Amino acid sequence: ASHPFQPEIQNYWARLSKKYSLTPHIKFGTVVVKAVWDSHASCYHITYEDVKTGKQSTTSAEILVSALGILEIPKIPNISGLSDFEGTVFHSARWVDMNLDGKRVAVIGNGASATQFLPIIANTPNIHITQFCRTPNWVFPPVRMYYSDFHRFACRYVPFYMRSVRFLYYLVSDLAYLAIFSNSVTRRPVQKFVEEYISNSSPEEYRKYLLPKYDLGCRRVIFDTDYLSTLHRSNVHLNYGGIGSIVKDGIITQEGEHLPFDVIILATGYCVDKYPLHIEGRSGQTIQEYYNSKGGPTAYMGTTVPGFPNLYILGGPNTITGHTSVIFTEEVQINYSLELIKPILNGKLSVVDAKHEATDRYNEVLQKRLSRSVFVGCNSWYRFNDGGKVNQMFPGSAAQFWWWLRRPNWADFDVTISNEDKTGRIGFTGKIWIWLGLAIVFAFLSVVRS
């Protein structure tokens, strides 16, 4: 399928790991505690911990790549009495595998995660679900499709077929930027189309609650995964009355109604403004402290952070497009990062660090473009603290993102030339000393001969 479920994705990763012999290079069950830059050794000293035993160990690395993803830290809502609930409560990002048969389940939130898992758990026998919603979302028609045997055969054996199909998918998705995010003229008919889809697919009693009042694209768009059709089921109910508090056996709505529940599932999003690792740079400042000093997550080309040498962040600030594949944008970042890493691996350089002024200049361009975008029209997790500067979205097409990151501008980096050539070649500084030594020898021989 174009959008597979968890077992297929896990199996794919397992095959990749085996195919490229990655498993011996992976430390499972391990969490990084901190990484501290050592200017004298030009490396990071990394402390990590075994999650089962709690034993901490250390290692060092000249290059550090942050591939944590964007939606990493679950956001736990600040609801009065949440800790008093005596039933089972968990965030959808930390799913608890339990039997929901016959359970009264409260789902708090109606974003992308909720619309994906709610149709699945709604099929559980005798389950009763109440979904507490706050802000409606624009829900597009389904895009998941299942591939035929011929398509899979052609992808495997027909030359250029798979590349052509992938390029076609890329073109279609990147056109969404022109249609939705680039201007309001083309956005209006698309918004009208999505509005009609929601109205025709949802129960009449919920229709007025499901239609957003903000422009399409201002918040994350959602593709329907049988969510709207699931709302027609008799065991699923929406509640837009708001939550007053949580008590030991359920939820008290803002209208004072007491609703008993056995399970509460939090589908309340993620803390995208918080960097989850303690990484210290040249001055002892952490990534999070740097973010805070800039009014939210900030980076150069969304990949490097000034003051943090040889660190590369995949899915960094302002790298989300909102309309195309994050796999593509991270592949662009990977290729960009490799261009910066190669001189270190070759022994030509020991340190590569983005300049502060280059980072500020780049982000001024970003924010100027974003100030005219649809993203500032409402509060969302695209923005710092839901209403500050837009620190997640890239203000352009995927093609433009690729163009900007197609190759590094070395003038925007402070670099340190290495004396050690790891390929067997002599470093630049070493060559200077050799030539200087040869010059002295020739000068001495000239004096002797004379």
Side-chain angles (χ1 to χ4, degrees):
S2 60
H3 296 71
F5 291 97
Q6 184 269 348
E8 185 176 345
I9 295 174
Q10 184 179 21
N11 184 50
Y12 170 74
W13 280 109
R15 293 202 315 271
L16 278 184
S17 180
K18 182 178 180 180
K19 179 179 179 179
Y20 295 102
S21 302
L22 299 177
T23 305
H25 304 283
I26 301 174
K27 297 187 74 67
F28 294 100
T30 304
V31 61
V32 174
V33 178
K34 65 178 180 179
V36 180
W37 175 255
D38 184 340
S39 295
H40 297 291
S42 297
C43 69
Y44 284 96
H45 297 303
I46 303 166
T47 302
Y48 58 94
E49 182 179 293
D50 187 301
V51 295
K52 291 183 178 180
T53 65
K55 179 183 178 182
Q56 291 192 354
S57 304
T58 59
T59 188
S60 297
E62 290 87 353
I63 298 165
L64 193 60
V65 178
S66 172
L68 300 171
I70 300 164
L71 306 179
E72 163 67 15
I73 308 175
K75 179 184 289 185
I76 307 300
N78 184 21
I79 302 176
S80 174
L82 179 60
S83 60
D84 298 330
F85 184 65
E86 295 181 351
T88 302
V89 57
F90 59 89
H91 194 281
S92 60
R94 302 293 184 264
W95 194 268
V96 174
D97 190 12
M98 61 177 298
N99 184 10
L100 296 175
D101 186 358
K103 302 295 185 181
R104 298 165 297 181
V105 178
V107 175
I108 300 178
N110 62 319
S113 297
T115 60
Q116 292 174 45
F117 73 73
L118 191 144
I120 297 175
I121 66 172
N123 292 320
T124 306
N126 304 313
I127 192 175
H128 181 86
I129 302 171
T130 300
Q131 184 181 22
F132 292 87
C133 310
R134 185 173 59 182
T135 305
N137 295 291
W138 289 108
V139 181
F140 276 73
V143 292
R144 176 183 285 132
M145 53 185 172
Y146 293 89
Y147 297 132
S148 65
D149 292 338
F150 169 79
H151 180 79
R152 292 197 295 269
F153 174 86
C155 282
R156 184 180 294 267
Y157 297 110
V158 178
F160 305 110
Y161 178 84
M162 184 169 65
R163 287 186 177 273
S164 300
V165 170
R166 189 184 188 216
F167 183 67
L168 178 63
Y169 289 161
Y170 156 76
L171 285 179
V172 171
S173 62
D174 219 17
L175 285 174
Y177 170 76
L178 298 175
I180 300 173
F181 299 97
S182 66
N183 66 90
S184 60
V185 176
T186 55
R187 184 187 308 127
R188 291 192 191 100
V190 179
Q191 183 168 313
K192 183 64 177 177
F193 165 76
V194 179
E195 183 177 332
E196 290 178 355
Y197 173 74
I198 295 174
S199 298
N200 295 334
S201 304
S202 60
E204 185 175 356
E205 61 181 305
Y206 299 136
R207 200 161 296 160
K208 64 178 181 179
Y209 301 111
L210 293 170
L211 292 173
K213 300 296 190 295
Y214 55 86
D215 287 338
L216 176 67
C218 185
R219 296 166 65 95
R220 180 180 179 180
V221 296
I222 294 174
F223 291 96
D224 196 5
T225 50
D226 297 326
Y227 172 70
L228 294 179
S229 61
T230 300
L231 299 182
H232 290 274
R233 300 178 63 121
S234 59
N235 64 334
V236 177
H237 300 278
L238 297 187
N239 187 304
Y240 274 89
I243 297 175
S245 63
I246 296 178
V247 292
K248 64 179 182 179
D249 63 343
I251 292 176
I252 306 297
T253 67
Q254 291 184 354
E255 288 82 11
E257 182 182 7
H258 176 262
L259 301 175
F261 293 104
D262 305 300
V263 180
I264 296 178
I265 303 176
L266 306 174
T268 47
Y270 299 81
C271 302
V272 295
D273 298 332
K274 305 295 183 183
Y275 187 74
L277 285 183
H278 181 95
I279 298 181
E280 295 181 20
R282 288 180 184 267
S283 65
Q285 186 183 45
T286 66
I287 291 284
Q288 188 59 52
E289 288 170 346
Y290 175 78
Y291 282 178
N292 294 340
S293 72
K294 294 295 182 179
T298 303
Y300 176 74
M301 295 295 175
T303 308
T304 58
V305 180
F308 296 84
N310 303 358
L311 170 67
Y312 305 94
I313 302 177
L314 304 183
N318 296 106
T319 58
I320 302 175
T321 63
H323 63 276
T324 192
S325 172
V326 72
I327 297 175
F328 173 78
T329 55
E330 292 200 356
E331 285 175 345
V332 171
Q333 282 192 281
I334 290 170
N335 291 332
Y336 178 79
S337 300
L338 287 175
E339 291 300 310
L340 297 169
I341 291 172
K342 284 177 183 177
I344 300 176
L345 297 180
N346 293 336
K348 296 179 179 179
L349 301 175
S350 60
V351 174
V352 175
D353 190 8
K355 294 180 179 179
H356 284 275
E357 55 270 25
T359 303
D360 293 340
R361 187 169 59 248
Y362 170 74
N363 280 275
E364 285 174 6
V365 174
L366 280 184
Q367 292 305 318
K368 184 177 181 180
R369 293 170 63 97
L370 288 166
S371 66
R372 303 189 299 267
S373 71
V374 67
F375 306 124
V376 297
C378 64
N379 293 341
S380 73
W381 62 265
Y382 291 165
R383 307 175 65 181
F384 183 60
N385 287 334
D386 288 339
K389 75 172 185 179
V390 180
N391 55 52
Q392 298 298 325
M393 308 305 292
F394 179 76
S397 64
Q400 184 173 14
F401 185 78
W402 167 81
W403 181 255
W404 284 13
L405 275 74
R406 69 192 186 281
R407 62 174 177 264
N409 180 1
W410 286 98
D412 289 343
F413 293 90
D414 288 321
V415 300
T416 301
I417 299 173
S418 176
N419 289 321
E420 178 186 1
D421 192 328
K422 298 172 186 175
T423 62
R425 295 189 299 270
I426 300 172
F428 179 78
T429 305
K431 290 179 180 178
I432 291 178
W433 283 108
I434 290 174
W435 283 111
L436 183 59
L438 289 174
I440 293 173
V441 170
F442 282 121
F444 177 76
L445 290 175
S446 299
V447 171
V448 170
R449 288 177 180 177
S450 63

